[in-house]
């Protein structure tokens, strides 16, 4: 997507000088320029609806594929659904947006355009403001492009949903273990995979770990058992064996004894 021209970020941009007021206060806007304003405004309103849907779904704990916009027929009149999807993605990529990393500090999701403009006397012939996408994250997968609001969904949960959507238990397991080991840092208990969105039985988690071991591609993924015999998993890319064992004992046994 990054190689696409910025011209795909929406209908043709407007020349501010072209819509500047004349000395007598009357706007100097040609019919062609007015048509471009209307097209751009229609695109912005449709994009706002699409991004509001992403944020609402993030709040509900759901990841969003960009192809959803085509299914919902959100494209403005006269625009192909796939072209609309590509232009919205390009808009996000070419504007400041969130990185796919754990959030640092508090983020706030922008309000829908209709809320921002509530009570304002906005002429349909005036260009609407650009949309704020600083909270949105893009994840490029094999089965599509996924989005979430970093202000409304955690990085770890978003990636759990992503891996589940990509239907790869091994990739899900490895990604979770590495992410927890790197970002917090801490090992992952077998019980963590019993929670949403995985809902794995302990037997399945152990089976997936065995697949990881047999693949020979993830030598950094290790398992350790606490003194209570509870399995924990960690990555030696970020935690040593000594750290993995000590932290597993802390989270699995000692922490509960020292509230």
């Amino acid at each position: 997507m990054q190689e696409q021209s910025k011209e795909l970020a929406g209908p043709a941009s407007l020349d501010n000088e072209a819509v500047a007021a004349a000395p007598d206060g009357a706007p100097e806007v040609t019919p062609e320029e007015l048509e471009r304003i209307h097209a751009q405004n229609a695109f912005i309103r449709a994009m706002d609806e699409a991004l509001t849907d992403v944020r609402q779904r993030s709040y509900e704990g759901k990841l969003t594929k960009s192809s959803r916009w085509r299914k919902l027929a959100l494209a403005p009149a006269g625009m192909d659904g796939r072209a609309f999807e590509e232009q919205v993605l390009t808009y996000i990529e070419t504007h400041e947006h969130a990185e796919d990393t754990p959030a640092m500090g508090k983020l706030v999701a922008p309000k829908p355009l209709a809320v921002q403009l509530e009570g304002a006397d906005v002429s349909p012939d005036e260009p609407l403001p650009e949309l704020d996408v600083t909270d949105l994250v893009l994840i490029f997968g094999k089965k599509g492009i996924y989005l979430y609001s970093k202000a409304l969904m955690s990085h770890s949960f978003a990636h759990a949903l992503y891996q589940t959507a990509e239907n790869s238990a091994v990739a899900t397991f490895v990604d979770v273990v590495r992410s927890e080991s790197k970002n917090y840092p801490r090992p992952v208990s077998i019980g963590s995979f019993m929670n949403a969105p995985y809902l794995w039985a302990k037997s399945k988690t152990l089976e997936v770990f065995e697949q990881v071991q047999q693949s020979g591609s993830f030598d950094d993924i290790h398992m350790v058992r606490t003194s209570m015999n509870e399995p924990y998993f960690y990555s030696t890319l970020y935690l040593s064996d000594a750290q993995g064992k000590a932290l597993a004992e802390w989270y699995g046994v000692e922490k509960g004894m020292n509230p």
Side-chain angles (χ1 to χ4, degrees):
M1 291 295 302
Q2 293 181 352
E3 296 180 356
Q4 295 185 21
S5 167
K6 291 185 179 181
E7 292 179 357
L8 288 178
S13 298
L14 298 168
D15 185 344
N16 289 334
E17 294 182 0
V19 295
D24 61 359
E28 296 180 346
V29 183
T30 67
E32 293 76 17
E33 290 161 351
L34 198 58
E35 185 177 350
R36 287 199 297 272
I37 291 175
H38 293 168
Q40 177 73 357
N41 285 353
F43 172 78
I44 288 177
R45 289 190 181 279
M47 178 167 60
D48 179 65
E49 185 175 354
L51 301 186
T52 296
D53 179 66
V54 171
R55 294 180 177 117
Q56 178 61 36
R57 287 170 59 81
S58 294
Y59 177 75
E60 296 171 356
K62 302 173 184 177
L63 208 58
T64 301
K65 288 181 70 173
S66 61
S67 59
R68 172 178 167 83
W69 304 330
R70 281 182 274 142
K71 296 177 182 178
L72 295 179
L74 296 181
M79 180 178 288
D80 175 73
R82 188 174 294 276
F84 173 71
E85 177 186 353
E86 292 177 351
Q87 290 183 16
V88 172
L89 291 172
T90 301
Y91 180 94
I92 296 172
E93 284 196 287
T94 56
H95 289 71
E96 183 181 355
H97 61 281
E99 296 294 328
D100 186 25
T101 56
M104 300 296 289
K106 183 171 182 172
L107 297 176
V108 178
K111 296 178 181 179
L113 186 62
V115 175
Q116 296 180 42
L117 298 178
E118 188 175 11
D121 185 15
V122 180
S123 168
D125 297 339
E126 294 179 4
L128 290 171
E130 289 194 333
L131 300 182
D132 182 352
V133 294
T134 54
D135 66 312
L136 297 180
V137 176
L138 298 173
I139 305 178
F140 295 88
K142 293 180 180 179
K143 296 188 175 182
I145 299 174
Y146 304 81
L147 301 94
Y148 71 95
S149 170
K150 198 169 181 176
L152 300 169
M153 180 183 288
S154 70
H155 167 266
S156 59
F157 193 71
H159 268 256
L161 292 172
Y162 163 69
Q163 296 291 0
T164 301
E166 292 282 292
N167 293 327
S168 174
V170 168
T172 297
F173 180 83
V174 172
D175 183 75
V176 171
V177 173
R178 285 177 175 170
S179 294
E180 294 282 315
S181 296
K182 176 183 178 182
N183 296 322
Y184 291 100
R186 65 189 178 196
V188 184
S189 74
I190 193 170
S192 296
F193 291 98
M194 299 177 70
N195 300 322
Y198 322 105
L199 302 178
W200 294 354
K202 290 185 177 181
S203 58
K204 176 174 179 177
T205 301
L206 291 174
E207 289 174 5
V208 173
F209 175 68
E210 185 61 28
Q211 293 173 21
V212 168
Q213 296 296 291
Q214 292 178 358
S215 73
S217 301
F218 309 103
D219 294 339
D220 62 299
I221 305 298
H222 291 200
M223 181 179 76
V224 65
R225 288 181 180 271
T226 68
S227 59
M228 301 295 289
N229 203 36
E230 184 78 356
Y232 273 73
F233 310 94
Y234 62 95
S235 168
T236 54
L237 292 175
Y238 310 104
L239 296 174
S240 67
D241 288 326
Q243 289 174 315
K245 183 176 181 179
L247 289 170
E249 188 69 14
W250 164 250
Y251 284 106
V253 181
E254 296 173 2
K255 187 177 181 180
M257 299 172 61
N258 299 277

